[in-house]
Amino acid sequence: MNPVAPHSSADPDETTTTTRRRSRQGRPGLTLVAVCFGLFMVGLDSTVVHIANPAIQADLGATFGQLQWIINSYLLALAVFLIPCGKLGDRFGRKRMYVTGVLLFGIASVAIGLSGSVEGVLVFRALQGLSAAMLMPQTIALLRATFPREQFGMAVGIWGGVSSVAIAGGPLVSGILVEQLGWEWVFHINAPIALIGIVFAGVFIRETATEKSGRLDYPGIVLLALALFGIVFAVVQAQAWGWGSATTLGVLVASVVLLALFVIVESRVAEPLLPLDLFRSSGVSVGGLVFVANFFAILGVTFLITLFLMNSLGNSTTKAGLMMLPMSAFSIPAAPLGAVLTSRIGPRRVAALGLALMAVGLAALTLVDLDSSYLLMALPFVVIAFGSGFAIPSGADLIVGGAPVHLAGVASGFQTTCIQIGGAIGTAVLSAIVAGQVAPAVGAARLPDEAAEAGAAGVLFEGVPSINGAFVGGMHLGLWVAAAFCAVIAALVVVAVREPRHHTVEEILVETAETGAGHP
């Protein structure tokens, strides 16, 4: 039997205030559950594609360059539209923007599996990236609007945990789905997640207040999108065009000109997409390079290593996913540990340490060849995971801590843009290095041009070990390039950055979460 509630003697004004506060906050716990569905999809799709790529190549006949674009079309769309979509959420409603993003992500995921062509996969991967840009900034914004200040740090911790589990589990989930059901189900699995997420969001998330003032910097958005696309497109296509060709150089020069125009526009518009005042602190600029170097290495190397594991070593997708697990799984404890270290000894030292660890791990991977023990691969994976886990929270603290207070939100979006651009450039550059090593070996063996595509993807050639040796050699060279890049940025952090004010662990975790969401 339910007891009858006693008569309340509370002050009516106090009761009204409490009611209003609850109305404004909505249902924090259920709101957190609702946004985690979209967050989980985006985290999962950041790592599942690498394992699925060889199956997509075999089924649809994708070229080596197209395999790169399956990854880069997503990264570029996410990078370009992240900050604008965050501002659109502020303008038109964060719940509305979040639900629309989840819906489009689910539709795009199903469309990828049904497309039946490489071109269709590329188009809908770009739509996935746009959808991720629509929903990600809203996740943190909705939590901030819903949770009381004293509980927000806890909510962010759960937010980060869900994202980490999704990213870590991606390779294994992808391996099992590809092996048991086909590569299409790597994307189809998002449909039920999106559907449940939309239902939860519709029922439990309350719309936040909208901002009617301000204008979107449309010229800035267009110029930045064209410039970033041009740079990545030129690097990817340089394998076919030639690095010294007029076409490659022309696209690169045009992209640099567009970047210069972007800077001019940002210096003159009233409400720029990326205010130039943000870069007055060296911590912001160098912190951005920390993220670029980190994800240049992580995503570029992951692209090559998965091809090596599956095409060169002949592992199943499930086994390849298990073999990749140390790199993603150890990042789960590494990031909170990096946040603790950052709060105690400062982001400058931790960022340099993290990138140095990554350089060591990448260099150690150059010992791996076709006959190596898996231990030679697993141990460097763990070192790289801890290096990346240290670099992310410390890099976030360098940027947000170094940014002017009124630009802290824009700084978060800048960080996430650096993540996507670093990953796209890393995938393109390291792949170009491998392709450049394989092409002469294919020519010397007098094989058709199509063999260069397969050789660059790590496919074994019976009786022609020189091609496989060229792939492994190119992979090693790419690893050395990534290691050198991480080492150079680590040195730059030490030399160019003054130690900013130390923040608490909770503040650093919030900064890191906002980095992942790109919340403006």
Side-chain angles (χ1 to χ4, degrees):
M1 183 176 66
N2 294 328
V4 178
H7 176 71
S8 173
S9 61
D11 187 334
D13 290 338
E14 181 180 341
T15 303
T16 302
T17 301
T18 302
T19 302
R20 287 176 179 172
R21 185 183 300 114
R22 285 177 180 171
S23 176
R24 184 175 66 251
Q25 292 177 349
R27 303 178 180 179
L30 292 172
T31 298
L32 175 59
V33 172
V35 301
C36 281
F37 284 100
L39 178 67
F40 188 84
M41 286 194 307
V42 174
L44 199 64
D45 269 54
S46 67
T47 53
V48 294
V49 176
H50 291 89
I51 296 293
N53 255 348
I56 296 173
Q57 182 183 35
D59 188 27
L60 301 182
T63 66
F64 186 58
Q66 287 170 333
L67 288 183
Q68 297 170 57
W69 277 112
I70 289 173
I71 295 172
N72 287 342
S73 59
Y74 176 87
L75 296 177
L76 276 176
L78 180 53
V80 169
F81 294 107
L82 194 76
I83 296 176
C85 285
K87 293 185 176 181
L88 286 173
D90 295 339
R91 179 74 61 85
F92 299 109
R94 297 174 183 123
K95 174 182 176 179
R96 183 178 292 109
M97 201 70 173
Y98 173 77
V99 171
T100 302
V102 172
L103 176 63
L104 285 179
F105 200 98
I107 292 172
S109 298
V110 173
I112 290 171
L114 298 177
S115 62
S117 69
V118 178
E119 292 76 16
V121 172
L122 295 177
V123 169
F124 291 115
R125 276 290 285 171
L127 181 58
Q128 265 193 331
L130 171 60
S131 307
M134 293 174 69
L135 72 90
M136 281 299 287
Q138 320 315 325
T139 59
I140 287 292
L142 287 166
L143 294 183
R144 189 181 289 280
T146 305
F147 275 85
R149 178 174 296 180
E150 65 272 13
Q151 296 179 4
F152 182 61
M154 175 272 295
V156 165
I158 296 173
W159 184 100
V162 169
S163 181
S164 297
V165 168
I167 292 170
L172 182 58
V173 170
S174 178
I176 294 172
L177 289 174
V178 171
E179 191 169 322
Q180 300 298 323
L181 299 173
W183 65 265
E184 297 89 348
W185 281 92
V186 167
F187 303 101
H188 288 337
I189 193 175
N190 290 324
I193 300 174
L195 181 60
I196 298 171
I198 290 171
V199 172
F200 263 76
V203 175
F204 299 120
I205 295 179
R206 293 190 178 182
E207 186 59 274
T208 58
T210 57
E211 299 176 5
K212 300 300 182 184
S213 62
R215 296 181 179 181
L216 283 177
D217 177 16
Y218 292 108
I221 294 171
V222 172
L223 287 170
L224 183 61
L226 291 175
L228 296 179
F229 176 82
I231 292 171
V232 176
F233 186 75
V235 173
V236 173
Q237 293 301 120
Q239 301 168 35
W241 297 340
W243 283 97
S245 71
T247 306
T248 300
L249 296 177
V251 174
L252 286 174
V253 169
S255 300
V256 172
V257 171
L258 288 171
L259 276 179
L261 290 174
F262 172 74
V263 171
I264 293 173
V265 167
E266 298 306 279
S267 68
R268 295 182 178 180
V269 297
E271 298 183 35
L273 179 68
L274 197 62
L276 300 184
D277 287 349
L278 182 66
F279 302 101
R280 289 184 176 178
S281 166
S282 61
V284 175
S285 303
V286 178
L289 289 176
V290 169
F291 280 99
V292 171
N294 188 352
F295 287 90
F296 176 100
I298 289 289
L299 295 186
V301 169
T302 300
F303 178 75
L304 296 182
I305 289 291
T306 51
L307 294 175
F308 175 72
L309 288 173
M310 298 175 67
N311 289 343
S312 299
L313 298 184
N315 292 299
S316 67
T317 54
T318 302
K319 186 174 181 180
L322 283 169
M323 295 173 79
M324 291 292 295
L325 203 54
M327 188 184 295
S328 51
F330 277 92
S331 65
I332 296 177
L337 178 57
V340 171
L341 287 174
T342 298
S343 70
R344 292 184 178 178
I345 66 175
R348 176 171 166 266
R349 295 181 181 89
V350 178
L353 173 62
L355 290 178
L357 284 174
M358 290 188 69
V360 170
L362 293 165
L365 278 179
T366 62
L367 300 175
V368 173
D369 58 30
L370 295 171
D371 302 315
S372 298
S373 163
Y374 173 64
L375 192 62
L376 278 178
M377 190 179 298
L379 291 178
F381 281 171
V382 174
V383 175
I384 292 169
F386 273 94
S388 180
F390 289 178
I392 289 173
S394 56
D397 199 43
L398 280 174
I399 294 176
V400 177
V405 174
H406 69 287
L407 295 178
V410 178
S412 296
F414 167 69
Q415 299 174 112
T416 311
T417 300
C418 289
I419 290 173
Q420 313 307 328
I421 295 305
I425 297 294
T427 302
V429 168
L430 300 192
S431 300
I433 291 172
V434 170
Q437 294 293 109
V438 169
V442 170
R446 297 183 178 180
L447 294 176
D449 292 340
E450 293 78 10
E453 293 283 348
V459 175
L460 286 175
F461 284 78
E462 295 294 336
V464 194
S466 60
I467 296 178
N468 308 122
F471 172 82
V472 174
M475 183 177 71
H476 289 171
L477 182 57
L479 288 165
W480 280 118
V481 168
F485 188 24
C486 289
V488 168
I489 302 303
L492 184 63
V493 170
V494 173
V495 172
V497 177
R498 291 192 305 173
E499 192 69 72
R501 179 180 68 86
H502 292 196
H503 295 95
T504 66
V505 175
E506 182 176 285
E507 287 173 332
I508 294 165
L509 289 174
V510 170
E511 292 169 356
T512 306
E514 291 183 337
T515 298
H519 173 60

